[in-house]
Amino acid sequence: MNQWIDACAPDDIDEEDLIAWEHAGRKYAIYNTEKGFFASDLMCTHEEQSLEDGLVIDCVIECPLHGGRFDVCTGKALSAPVLVDLKTYPVKVESGRVFVQVEG
Amino acid sequence: MPDYVPTNAASSGVRLDKKTLKSIATRTDRPGLIWLAQWTLGLVATGTLVWAALGTVWVWPAMLLHGTLLTVPAYAASHETAHGTAFRSRWLNEAVLWVSSFIFIEEPLHRRYSHTNHHTHTWHVGEDSQMPYNIPLRFAEWFAATTGIIPLIYHVKVLYVLATRNFSDMILKFTPEPELPKMTRNARIMIALYVLIAVLPLAGIWWPVWFIILPRVLGTPVMILLVLIQHAELQENSPSILESTRSFTTNRVMAFLYMNMNNHVEHHLYPQVPFHALPKLAEAVKDQVPEPDHGFVRTCAELGLVVLRRSLGRSTKAPTIRQAPRMITDGGPIHSIAQKTM
């Protein structure tokens, strides 16, 4: 069953940036973009590389190792070398906190 | 989980706080556009020199100058845009990737994927698809590469392999399967364009010979010298970029032509940093990385001397450039360490 988990405060993430967040042994990326907050798996789908040091440009996260790009809103893989979409998770901001809906 | 560790800052024990890295890696179009404009103006200037020298013996030095200005930046731009870091606008990045890779004679997706592999497995024997010579490097191979013969054969071979779908094991290893048909299509388009350029003189059109083909050939040696010193004489199979890769100091002209890639250690540590910010990155990590070797000409000359001495059975200690301990011998027979992958 999916559940909403309190992940962080909105101010914990700079604009056009992301943080790494771990819950129940799983690693997530939470993004602060011009379109709002989003969440996805932390690891790139191309190779075993954390996106934590990646660049957020508009609503795109760029992997720091090879420059593969994903749309952070949908997880869609946008350009080589990434071809497999990134898994995304619903996010909401309530009572001054960012919540991520994770699979329970 | 993969059974390897990607070679980068983390595997090299180099740390940079995230805010600093983010500020350095910020992507904009402006520096890339300025560089592109300067390159274009430079080509117009040296092209004018070639035009003015046509019919005289001065056409050869003019073509050498024009060729160096054509070839080295094309190689550098192809590399930078394969990373996707030259511009913030993706379409601009991809357009320059295509044009520069065409001049460089490498199919753009092959350029990107083989280089992706090079960053994951930097200087790892049998894994790094961009090892352009056998290790240790010998004089005959150094000379043949520097003339441009070996790289030309490699580039033609790769285009043929892609166009005929006769993929090598290495290509199949580093390329996702859905991308292979695109690479074949692109290679065929590129071959058709090269053939078109080659037959233009038959129709009495000679300008591509003077302004593109011969300059591209004449400009190759400087480009290859830059490629050779990136990892030569350094440690293979090391997780640390600090041991496998070389940076060197250089003047502003060479830094411009090479898009600051003389900061090669820093580039491998943080490949997401765009070319224009590499000097800033080098400053930020200078206390964590080896001192760069001194000057392009001096580094090339010392490497040439080392490989000549190795081939003559003499000691291989270079005067100043960095070398992995196992590359320094007192002479005698050469023991092969690794086969090239290009």
Side-chain angles (χ1 to χ4, degrees):
Chain A
M1 185 173 162
N2 295 343
Q3 50 188 323
W4 288 99
I5 305 294
D6 183 348
C8 61
D11 291 347
D12 290 343
I13 317 174
D14 289 343
E15 286 178 21
E16 273 208 329
D17 202 2
L18 75 155
I19 60 166
W21 175 65
E22 192 167 345
H23 174 73
R26 191 172 182 114
K27 292 176 178 173
Y28 303 84
I30 306 177
Y31 310 88
N32 181 0
T33 77
E34 59 189 19
K35 290 184 181 173
F37 290 86
F38 297 90
S40 74
D41 280 339
L42 182 66
M43 304 308 282
C44 180
T45 61
H46 172 232
E47 289 184 359
E48 200 69 14
Q49 172 67 38
S50 166
L51 297 171
E52 187 177 2
D53 283 338
L55 272 185
V56 178
I57 301 172
D58 300 329
C59 285
V60 172
I61 173 68
E62 185 182 279
C63 177
L65 185 58
H66 297 131
R69 297 156 66 247
F70 302 93
D71 183 325
V72 301
C73 308
T74 63
K76 186 174 173 49
L78 296 176
S79 61
V82 296
L83 297 173
V84 178
D85 294 349
L86 200 57
K87 185 170 174 50
T88 57
Y89 303 88
V91 174
K92 66 179 180 183
V93 180
E94 269 183 13
S95 309
R97 299 293 297 173
V98 178
F99 291 83
V100 178
Q101 189 180 55
V102 300
E103 293 160 359
Chain B
M1 288 287 285
D3 56 358
Y4 59 87
V5 176
T7 42
N8 56 14
S11 72
S12 308
V14 173
R15 285 296 302 167
L16 201 55
D17 72 86
K18 196 176 173 190
K19 279 198 187 306
T20 305
L21 179 59
K22 191 184 165 195
S23 72
I24 290 173
T26 299
R27 205 71 49 78
T28 65
D29 285 340
R30 193 165 180 270
L33 286 171
I34 291 172
W35 182 90
L36 201 55
Q38 289 172 327
W39 182 32
T40 305
L41 285 172
L43 285 174
V44 169
T46 54
T48 304
L49 282 179
V50 173
W51 175 76
L54 282 173
T56 75
V57 72
W58 293 104
V59 76
W60 292 98
M63 282 195 299
L64 177 64
L65 182 65
H66 180 60
T68 302
L69 195 62
L70 176 72
T71 308
V72 175
Y75 160 67
S78 170
H79 167 260
E80 186 74 17
T81 52
H83 276 286
T85 45
F87 303 97
R88 183 182 174 104
S89 302
R90 194 66 185 177
W91 69 268
L92 199 49
N93 197 82
E94 298 307 288
V96 174
L97 171 66
W98 265 88
V99 174
S100 57
S101 297
F102 184 77
I103 299 169
F104 181 56
I105 318 179
E106 185 162 355
E107 191 281 317
L109 288 177
H110 182 273
R111 180 85 172 110
R112 178 165 279 152
Y113 283 112
S114 63
H115 197 65
T116 292
N117 165 279
H118 172 60
H119 271 268
T120 304
H121 304 288
T122 303
W123 224 234
H124 276 61
V125 177
E127 299 292 334
D128 185 344
S129 63
Q130 294 190 333
M131 267 192 173
Y133 44 82
N134 298 314
I135 302 174
L137 182 59
R138 301 160 203 225
F139 183 75
E141 198 174 3
W142 176 87
F143 184 76
T146 304
T147 61
I149 293 169
I150 289 180
L152 180 64
I153 292 170
Y154 168 75
H155 284 136
V156 170
K157 192 175 153 190
V158 168
L159 275 179
Y160 173 78
V161 158
L162 295 178
T164 58
R165 291 185 287 189
N166 201 2
F167 308 115
S168 66
D169 289 344
M170 185 59 95
I171 290 175
L172 291 172
K173 190 172 162 182
F174 64 63
T175 311
E177 200 178 339
E179 298 288 88
L180 293 170
K182 295 179 200 167
M183 288 162 77
T184 295
R185 177 203 63 198
N186 296 347
R188 289 174 179 174
I189 291 171
M190 289 176 73
I191 290 171
L193 290 171
Y194 291 133
V195 169
L196 179 67
I197 290 172
V199 300
L200 282 176
L202 299 177
I205 301 169
W206 283 90
W207 66 262
V209 173
W210 302 113
F211 294 97
I212 300 174
I213 299 173
L214 286 175
R216 172 65 180 80
V217 171
L218 293 171
T220 300
V222 176
M223 177 189 82
I224 296 300
L225 288 171
L226 287 163
V227 171
L228 290 178
I229 61 176
Q230 290 171 351
H231 304 282
E233 296 298 309
L234 295 169
Q235 183 64 50
E236 79 285 352
N237 294 342
S238 171
S240 174
I241 292 298
L242 313 186
E243 294 181 348
S244 67
T245 306
R246 168 179 293 107
S247 288
F248 60 94
T249 58
T250 193
N251 60 49
R252 289 178 65 179
V253 174
M254 184 55 82
F256 169 79
L257 297 178
Y258 197 25
M259 298 183 88
N260 291 324
M261 220 32 78
N262 54 301
N263 300 290
H264 212 63
V265 169
E266 294 79 4
H267 165 64
H268 270 271
L269 292 173
Y270 294 104
Q272 72 269 45
V273 172
F275 74 98
H276 55 84
L278 281 173
K280 204 182 285 183
L281 174 64
E283 181 65 25
V285 298
K286 69 178 180 187
D287 295 335
Q288 301 181 67
V289 301
E291 192 181 333
D293 285 332
H294 302 292
F296 170 62
V297 173
R298 182 166 165 181
T299 303
C300 290
E302 287 197 23
L303 176 62
L305 185 66
V306 163
V307 298
L308 177 61
R309 290 179 65 85
R310 177 174 291 127
S311 294
L312 293 173
R314 311 268 292 275
S315 75
T316 57
K317 176 81 177 76
T320 66
I321 61 171
R322 283 200 302 130
Q323 288 177 286
R326 70 184 296 176
M327 291 294 156
I328 302 170
T329 71
D330 292 329
I334 303 170
H335 301 290
S336 180
I337 294 172
Q339 295 290 311
K340 65 180 182 176
T341 54
M342 290 179 78

